[in-house]
Amino acid sequence: MSHLSVAKFGGTSVANHCAMKSCAHIVINDPNTRVVVLSASAGVTNLLVTLANGCEAAERAKLINEVRQIQENILKELQDDSLVRNQIEAILTNIESLAETAKIENSAALTDELISQGEMMSSLIFVEVLRELNISATWVDVREIIATNSHFSQAIPNDEKTQENSDKFLKPLIERGELVITQGFIGRDPNGQTTTLGRGGSDYSAALLAEVLHAQDVLIWTDVAGIYTTDPRIVPNAKRIDTMSFSEAAEMATFGAKVLHPSTLLPAVRSNIPVYVGSSKAPENGGSWVTLDPQPRPLFRAIALRRDQVLITLSNLNMRHTKGFLATVFTILAKHKMSVDIVTTSEVSIALTLDKTNIDTSAVDVLSPTLLNELSELCTVKIDTDLSLVTLIGNNLHTSAGVAKQIFNTLENYNIRTINYGASTNNVCMLVQSQQADEVVSQLHKALFE
């Protein structure tokens, strides 16, 4: 086959039988799509994460019943569920067992095993949806393909081993013309244990599979018809971006846009594989292409918003006379596995935000007493919460005259807590009060895009 596409469908795209059927028609109507990567049905992963944290018996039973009901609502719409029902029941029984164990003794490995079950169920059911449309498909356990290290919840793929597995197990199926249905988000470590690639990692899985199969593109089917100049829920006048660069899309994903997972673009950039984002609910409406060097490249491309930010200000009057102060601060943060996001400095203080993109706790919870004690021994620590990061994304922002004037004139009535300008050619980051974040985004969009 001259053209090979890898398609990924997100949780809302496989939320119910009707949604799954729409996805099936998208696959049927595109003969180039030979590999389909599925997320868990919407809501399932969140329920499984709660179970993995350990629950009392009554709460556990309630949550498992909710997971069961989501699957049951799809199964009952099938013409004949006899082929798949036993498999789903076996997975649900496994979920019950794992959840019970999680209450007694939790571990990162057990958590990954438990929360991976959602993708297993959705992919098995999707094969049946296709079969009822007279399309034969082969179900593949993606753990046989994607090899990772043992960093549970944030596993890093082993590219060489993944390529080897693909050549051995996956590529022969494609060469025989089979349609492969598999899971996103999941891998396997050298010890045979299930790992996950982080929340939103199904996009990453699709790009990894496209890379090892030398596919021509990755098709990300979600609930919006492409990537917009900002979140249309905040700004109804947001415009769809027809084409954008990998670097622009990476900035958007990193700074809060939910359409693409930040890691998705790594294998796509490495192998120059175009990525398409479209709506599974309305594929006819078109979408956005992310490519290496689209033209034109406008000065302002989009605005991203990341909520629930925490700002730490570290002050020490002797800082400017102390060699290695910054190194000591970053060593302490690294020790506690904290990822620093934005940094600004003065003569006697340093202010930084912490990247909590993949942390499911509040800003305050992230700052453990041990971490704060270690920092307090070095300097005075001040913590600000209820902040949001607004990021203006574009091209050559640091070399274009008038950018700062346009921003500050637009936001003259708003308090900007910190601003990071000049570190990147592609972004200007501003930390603002959370209650004003939507207004700031709206005003910037109106001034720069409308």
Side-chain angles (χ1 to χ4, degrees):
M1 178 176 290
S2 59
H3 190 112
L4 171 63
S5 298
V6 174
K8 175 262 177 177
F9 294 94
T12 54
S13 297
V14 293
N16 52 53
H17 181 267
C18 181
M20 280 196 173
K21 201 167 181 179
S22 296
C23 296
H25 284 297
I26 289 174
V27 174
I28 293 169
N29 291 333
D30 181 10
N32 294 326
T33 296
R34 306 311 302 162
V35 178
V36 177
V37 176
L38 297 181
S39 296
S41 296
V44 170
T45 299
N46 288 338
L47 293 168
L48 295 177
V49 167
T50 304
L51 286 167
N53 290 332
C55 303
E56 296 298 337
E59 178 68 8
R60 192 163 63 240
K62 176 179 176 291
L63 293 169
I64 292 172
N65 186 60
E66 289 183 43
V67 174
R68 182 185 298 276
Q69 193 59 54
I70 292 172
Q71 307 308 320
E72 180 62 33
N73 289 341
I74 305 174
L75 289 172
K76 69 182 183 183
E77 295 292 331
L78 294 173
Q79 297 169 16
D80 178 8
D81 66 3
S82 60
L83 293 176
V84 71
R85 180 171 288 278
N86 288 342
Q87 294 171 299
I88 300 302
E89 286 296 336
I91 292 174
L92 288 168
T93 299
N94 187 36
I95 289 173
E96 290 183 35
S97 176
L98 292 168
E100 189 173 346
T101 303
K103 173 63 176 112
I104 301 169
E105 185 179 2
N106 198 2
S107 70
L110 185 146
T111 296
D112 275 10
E113 179 68 34
L114 179 51
I115 64 178
S116 71
Q117 302 304 306
E119 278 74 14
M120 293 296 170
M121 291 188 288
S122 65
S123 57
L124 285 166
I125 294 173
F126 191 69
V127 170
E128 290 306 303
V129 173
L130 285 166
R131 188 184 63 79
E132 292 189 348
L133 295 171
N134 298 316
I135 300 297
S136 176
T138 302
W139 184 87
V140 170
D141 187 337
V142 79
R143 293 173 295 188
E144 298 291 333
I145 312 300
I146 295 183
T148 73
N149 64 5
S150 299
H151 186 181
F152 298 102
S153 81
Q154 292 288 321
I156 298 174
N158 180 327
D159 297 331
E160 185 176 332
K161 182 63 176 175
T162 299
Q163 182 69 65
E164 181 184 319
N165 291 342
S166 174
D167 293 343
K168 183 178 180 180
F169 300 111
L170 190 56
K171 196 169 289 185
L173 297 175
I174 304 302
E175 291 174 348
R176 290 202 297 267
E178 297 187 34
L179 172 61
V180 171
I181 309 301
T182 192
Q183 310 81 37
F185 180 55
I186 308 169
R188 177 175 287 159
D189 77 355
N191 300 316
Q193 293 180 289
T194 299
T195 58
T196 62
L197 306 180
R199 297 299 293 271
S202 291
D203 292 353
Y204 194 8
S205 300
L208 285 168
L209 293 177
E211 184 176 41
V212 295
L213 288 169
H214 307 293
Q216 274 65 51
D217 48 44
V218 180
L219 312 177
I220 305 293
W221 294 102
T222 181
D223 55 0
V224 292
I227 303 172
Y228 285 74
T229 47
T230 195
D231 188 340
R233 292 169 298 185
I234 299 175
V235 181
N237 289 334
K239 302 174 177 64
R240 187 174 69 207
I241 303 168
D242 292 329
T243 60
M244 66 190 312
S245 67
F246 286 130
S247 58
E248 291 168 329
E251 296 281 351
M252 289 192 69
T254 299
F255 287 106
K258 303 296 185 183
V259 179
L260 281 177
H261 187 264
S263 298
T264 302
L265 298 166
L266 296 177
V269 171
R270 281 194 308 241
S271 299
N272 191 18
I273 303 173
V275 177
Y276 176 81
V277 180
S279 170
S280 62
K281 299 176 181 179
E284 69 280 1
N285 288 346
S288 302
W289 280 100
V290 183
T291 61
L292 182 63
D293 187 25
Q295 296 299 329
R297 301 281 284 273
L299 178 62
F300 302 121
R301 178 66 90 180
I303 302 168
L305 174 62
R306 199 163 70 194
R307 303 183 191 275
D308 192 22
Q309 300 294 290
V310 55
L311 178 71
I312 304 179
T313 303
L314 308 174
S315 303
N316 187 326
L317 294 176
N318 296 319
M319 188 179 97
R320 65 193 180 101
H321 301 297
T322 305
K323 295 180 180 178
F325 179 83
L326 290 178
T328 304
V329 168
F330 283 101
T331 298
I332 293 172
L333 293 171
K335 174 184 172 183
H336 291 270
K337 296 181 170 56
M338 298 306 304
S339 176
V340 177
D341 197 10
I342 291 176
V343 181
T344 58
T345 63
S346 73
E347 284 289 296
V348 296
S349 64
I350 171 174
L352 50 88
T353 60
L354 300 180
D355 182 5
K356 304 192 308 82
T357 304
N358 294 302
I359 299 175
D360 295 322
T361 56
S362 72
V364 176
D365 292 336
V366 169
L367 301 171
S368 68
T370 306
L371 169 60
L372 292 177
N373 287 337
E374 289 190 44
L375 291 173
S376 296
E377 291 177 4
L378 185 68
C379 53
T380 301
V381 180
K382 182 176 182 293
I383 301 170
D384 290 314
T385 56
D386 295 325
L387 297 168
S388 294
L389 187 67
V390 176
T391 303
L392 176 61
I393 293 152
N395 296 279
N396 301 316
L397 293 172
H398 70 323
T399 59
S400 300
V403 170
K405 179 181 178 180
Q406 287 182 271
I407 294 172
F408 286 115
N409 282 351
T410 303
L411 302 181
E412 62 179 342
N413 295 322
Y414 300 93
N415 176 41
I416 300 176
R417 182 64 180 80
T418 67
I419 185 166
N420 193 301
Y421 179 31
S424 167
T425 64
N426 293 112
N427 71 58
V428 179
C429 300
M430 294 158 284
L431 204 59
V432 301
Q433 296 296 322
S434 289
Q435 61 266 30
Q436 295 183 329
D438 287 7
E439 289 182 40
V440 168
V441 171
S442 296
Q443 290 302 316
L444 279 173
H445 194 275
K446 184 177 180 180
L448 304 179
F449 294 94
E450 297 177 38

